Amino acid sequence: MKNSIHILTGLALVITLASCGKTEDKKAEGAAAAPAAAAVPAGDLEEIKLEFPKPMFIGTPVPAELPNLEKADPSKVVKSFQAPKGTVNLAKGKKVSSSDSAPIIGDLTLVTDGDADGADGSFVELMPGKQWVQIDLGAPANIYKIAMWHYHKQAQAYIDVLVQVSDDAEFKTGVTTLFNSDHDDTSALGKGGDPAYVETNHGRVIDAKGTKARYVRLWSNGNTSNDMNHYCEVQVYGTPAK
């Protein structure tokens, strides 16, 4: 009987040790994949007010049918936010690159020109399918919010929208995903739990939680009206990293 008890006790100890080892491995993997977010100094915040372009809906909206499409709620529109003093739009005038180096309409400088208007001549149109644009902030920064406007002249939703940041220009290491509406992993970048949404002149504001990074990359895979990808403006609010 004593021998049986000793054997059972030994097995329990082995299982416990093995379980602890797996837990530490998972912690280590997570630490390697996600850069640490900068601490936001309490009591040293200011209000940042966003400037919105005029509404641009024209014609008959194409019904947006996506399984993860959110129900529009005007009360949830982010018009301003609190951020550490000194926070500005670091993306304005910064260099933009893309998976489509020769856009069909417009040029990449429109993405960071500070103008979110949806009129003709104010947006860039990229090739069909999975495409990205990338902003180089010029130096590592603590990023608090990212505001983005796709084409908002029609009521349509963009598909498989991802927003990622990294210190690696090729996004091979140290990548943090801040927004992901790819519910079925079509883009092979991982499933996301964020909703798809119909574009308006209010765009979409994403919480970056003070993540430190130099590069911002935004993905999309067409929209509910056609296969094209569009950007009117991307603004990255943060402070230089020390």
Side-chain angles (χ1 to χ4, degrees), residues 61-234:
V62 177
E65 297 181 0
L66 294 172
N68 61 337
L69 184 67
E70 72 176 12
K71 185 177 180 180
D73 184 352
S75 69
K76 294 184 178 179
V77 171
V78 177
K79 298 181 179 179
S80 66
F81 57 87
Q82 296 290 318
K85 290 182 178 178
T87 295
V88 296
N89 174 20
L90 298 171
K92 189 172 183 180
K94 292 299 195 303
K95 180 181 178 182
V96 181
S97 56
S98 174
S99 53
D100 181 4
S101 58
I104 298 168
I105 297 175
D107 60 67
L108 296 175
T109 61
L110 294 170
V111 178
T112 56
D113 66 353
D115 180 9
D117 193 72
D120 293 346
S122 298
F123 66 91
V124 60
E125 180 177 83
L126 307 179
M127 290 192 299
K130 179 181 170 184
Q131 304 292 339
W132 53 261
V133 295
Q134 181 171 314
I135 301 167
D136 179 1
L137 299 178
N142 299 320
I143 302 172
Y144 300 106
K145 301 285 183 183
I146 296 175
M148 60 181 178
W149 288 262
H150 294 95
Y151 185 64
H152 53 86
K153 199 172 181 178
Q154 296 179 345
Q156 58 193 21
Y158 284 80
I159 301 169
D160 301 338
V161 173
L162 279 90
V163 179
Q164 298 178 315
V165 297
S166 178
D167 275 334
D168 176 13
E170 297 184 355
F171 278 73
K172 292 181 178 179
T173 61
V175 177
T176 298
T177 299
L178 301 174
F179 184 91
N180 184 356
S181 67
D182 184 2
H183 66 95
D184 58 1
D185 198 21
T186 301
S187 299
L189 294 169
K191 288 185 179 180
D194 294 305
Y197 59 94
V198 174
E199 290 290 332
T200 72
N201 63 310
H202 292 122
R204 179 57 48 122
V205 179
I206 297 168
D207 188 2
K209 305 182 187 303
T211 304
K212 181 182 176 182
R214 171 173 172 170
Y215 303 95
V216 180
R217 181 176 285 192
L218 302 95
W219 297 82
S220 61
N221 190 6
N223 62 77
T224 50
S225 296
N226 53 58
D227 293 332
M228 300 302 182
N229 299 276
H230 309 92
Y231 291 90
C232 292
E233 176 74 3
V234 178

Side-chain angles (χ1 to χ4, degrees), residues 40-54:
V40 178
D44 196 19
L45 304 176
E46 63 181 347
E47 184 180 19
I48 305 293
K49 294 183 178 179
L50 297 171
E51 294 184 6
F52 297 111
K54 61 182 180 181

